[in-house]
Amino acid sequence: MKTAAKPLIYLDHAATSWPKPPQVLERVAEAMMSEAANPGRGSHAMAVKASRALFGARKQLARLFGVGNPNDISFSLNTTAALNLAIKGFLKPGDHVIATAVEHNSVRRPLSYLKRAMGVEVTYIEVDLEGQLDLKQLERSFQKNTTLVVVNHSSNLLGSILPVAEIGEIARSKGARLLVDAAQSAGILDIDVKAAGIDMLAFPGHKGLLGPQGTGGLYLHPDLELEPHMHGGTGSQSEAEEQPVIRPDRYEAGTQNTPGIAGLAVGVQYILEQTVSRIYDEEWKLTQQMIEGLQSIDDVKILGPKLGERRTGIVSFLVGQVDPSEIAFVLDQHYGIAVRSGFHCTPLAHESAGTYATGAVRASVGYQSTSDDVAALVAAIAEMKQHFN
């Protein structure tokens, strides 16, 4: 087998996009130098600049997601923190929640906790082998106490895309709210919270939005209020014993990651300039190339939507009976190709795909991936297949 080549062929964008656009790195460094004071905590010039950096990022995100008021977006460490705020802050004892069988553990585990601690009822809607759900089954799953529908916009295992607007219409007709996990879709798929009837949108900064790790957020519909997930200093209404009611302060206790959020704003600006549709089209072409190439290798099983169908830039697969972790290890050590193996924090999706006993190898493309990167992966798998035989 070949010695690892440099630079690294990075096909793990579903976990974290890398490398970031140079302007993102420059903006983070600039913010560290000149805007590193506490935003919203002081009236001196540097604190004011920090506050402006955060609001500038909110405005960019509002443009991207079709949000009317930027202050309806609160920042968090990541999608997980945003989902925990949405789920734990919204649900009450005795509520019923509908989720899907492609949910990430960032949804499944908070729901499991609330089921145990508060008696919240949870129904998971099954999906087919391509990750699609039956909307009629969704409608039949509503109960009198159903208050929330949670959907993973795009599966981080299958790359499948759920029809969020149709799901939102059904939820509204039943008097329930819609929470969307946009971990794999923000910056990749067009998202308009008003048009799609999205009440809450949890998103990461470090994946498709091209920002640093430790950034993300939650959009919250203006007529919704959540119980805060954290309590503490906000720089506003400091004389009050309780969290302030104004947004976004109510949901942003403690000092925010100003340099990271400043970098996120530049990542979002890059996406707005390139356009989401162009980014999606380029990634889709690469996934089609990857599927076609892998399908040409004997005994390779590909999960999710078939060749030619809509999907995000994720292709998960198995190679015969070979342990996925071994494949990922060899790709890294001998070919310099970074992918991910295992269960990807989504055991429900693996149950749906029939891979719960094995896990899978996941390759995921991003904004800087190339046709050569994909060809290198396919060639490596073909060579490895001969070796394993």
Side-chain angles (χ1 to χ4, degrees):
M1 291 186 180
K2 301 175 183 177
T3 302
K6 301 297 179 184
L8 172 70
I9 296 174
Y10 187 81
L11 294 174
D12 194 22
H13 291 269
T16 290
S17 57
W18 182 89
K20 308 298 180 183
Q23 56 267 42
V24 171
L25 307 182
E26 293 166 4
R27 183 67 183 97
V28 171
E30 178 188 25
M32 285 293 292
M33 293 296 294
S34 64
E35 297 156 78
N38 273 39
R41 305 310 201 268
S43 58
H44 58 82
M46 188 179 287
V48 171
K49 286 181 71 176
S51 296
R52 287 175 177 166
L54 263 61
F55 188 67
R58 286 187 227 279
K59 289 199 295 183
Q60 295 285 54
L61 288 161
R63 284 182 59 199
L64 182 65
F65 297 139
V67 173
N69 182 356
N71 286 326
D72 288 330
I73 297 172
S74 58
F75 291 117
S76 63
L77 281 174
N78 42 46
T79 321
T80 299
L83 287 167
N84 270 264
L85 169 60
I87 291 169
K88 295 176 181 176
F90 178 82
L91 292 170
K92 303 292 188 295
D95 281 353
H96 174 244
V97 186
I98 298 173
T100 77
V102 291
E103 299 307 321
H104 191 275
N105 277 341
S106 296
V107 167
R108 184 193 188 198
R109 286 176 173 170
L111 289 178
S112 178
Y113 167 77
L114 293 182
K115 182 178 179 180
R116 181 179 71 254
M118 292 172 42
V120 168
E121 298 178 63
V122 184
T123 298
Y124 289 101
I125 304 297
E126 294 297 324
V127 298
D128 62 23
L129 289 175
E130 295 185 20
Q132 295 302 320
L133 57 79
D134 182 346
L135 293 179
K136 291 183 179 179
Q137 183 187 359
L138 171 65
E139 288 193 79
R140 292 193 297 268
S141 298
F142 279 84
Q143 302 175 180
K144 291 182 179 180
N145 59 335
T146 304
T147 59
L148 183 66
V149 177
V150 186
V151 297
N152 193 330
H153 195 181
S154 176
S155 167
N156 72 316
L157 173 68
L158 305 174
S160 52
I161 301 169
L162 291 181
V164 167
E166 294 175 58
I167 295 170
E169 185 176 353
I170 293 170
R172 285 193 303 277
S173 72
K174 302 289 187 178
R177 298 289 192 164
L178 175 63
L179 166 61
V180 173
D181 174 358
Q184 300 301 333
S185 61
I188 310 298
L189 300 175
D190 283 312
I191 299 174
D192 186 316
V193 295
K194 293 180 182 177
I198 297 172
D199 296 295
M200 294 179 278
L201 180 79
F203 60 89
H206 66 103
K207 298 186 182 185
L209 298 183
L210 308 178
Q213 293 176 333
T215 62
L218 178 71
Y219 158 73
L220 181 64
H221 192 283
D223 69 3
L224 273 181
E225 290 293 337
L226 304 177
E227 283 298 315
H229 185 50
M230 293 181 62
H231 300 79
T234 57
S236 61
Q237 300 179 353
S238 295
E239 72 284 355
E241 184 177 0
E242 301 295 333
Q243 283 293 107
V245 296
I246 58 172
R247 296 184 184 186
D249 300 29
R250 182 169 178 78
Y251 308 113
E252 290 185 353
T255 301
Q256 297 302 303
N257 178 9
T258 303
I261 294 169
L264 171 60
V266 174
V268 175
Q269 178 62 37
Y270 176 90
I271 292 163
L272 290 167
E273 291 170 354
Q274 296 296 313
T275 73
V276 171
S277 59
R278 177 182 171 186
I279 291 171
Y280 172 80
D281 288 345
E282 291 179 356
E283 292 191 8
W284 186 82
K285 290 175 185 176
L286 291 175
T287 60
Q288 300 309 293
Q289 177 190 346
M290 190 183 298
I291 293 170
E292 191 169 14
L294 291 173
Q295 282 181 343
S296 69
I297 304 170
D298 290 341
D299 216 16
V300 171
K301 176 184 178 181
I302 298 171
L303 309 182
K306 294 182 175 65
L307 185 67
E309 297 180 356
R310 288 189 78 230
R311 65 189 299 153
T312 51
I314 294 169
V315 179
S316 297
F317 59 94
L318 298 172
V319 182
Q321 301 300 312
V322 183
D323 190 321
S325 62
E326 183 177 358
I327 293 169
F329 178 80
V330 174
L331 284 172
D332 176 49
Q333 295 296 306
H334 294 276
Y335 295 94
I337 301 174
V339 298
R340 182 172 168 182
S341 64
F343 291 91
H344 315 95
C345 302
T346 182
L348 292 174
H350 277 283
E351 288 180 3
S352 298
T355 52
Y356 186 79
T358 61
V361 181
R362 183 185 72 188
S364 50
V365 300
Y367 86 109
Q368 278 199 342
S369 299
T370 66
S371 178
D372 288 344
D373 294 339
V374 173
L377 172 69
V378 173
I381 295 297
E383 185 173 327
M384 290 168 62
K385 183 66 169 52
Q386 293 179 350
H387 175 75
F388 288 130
N389 285 343

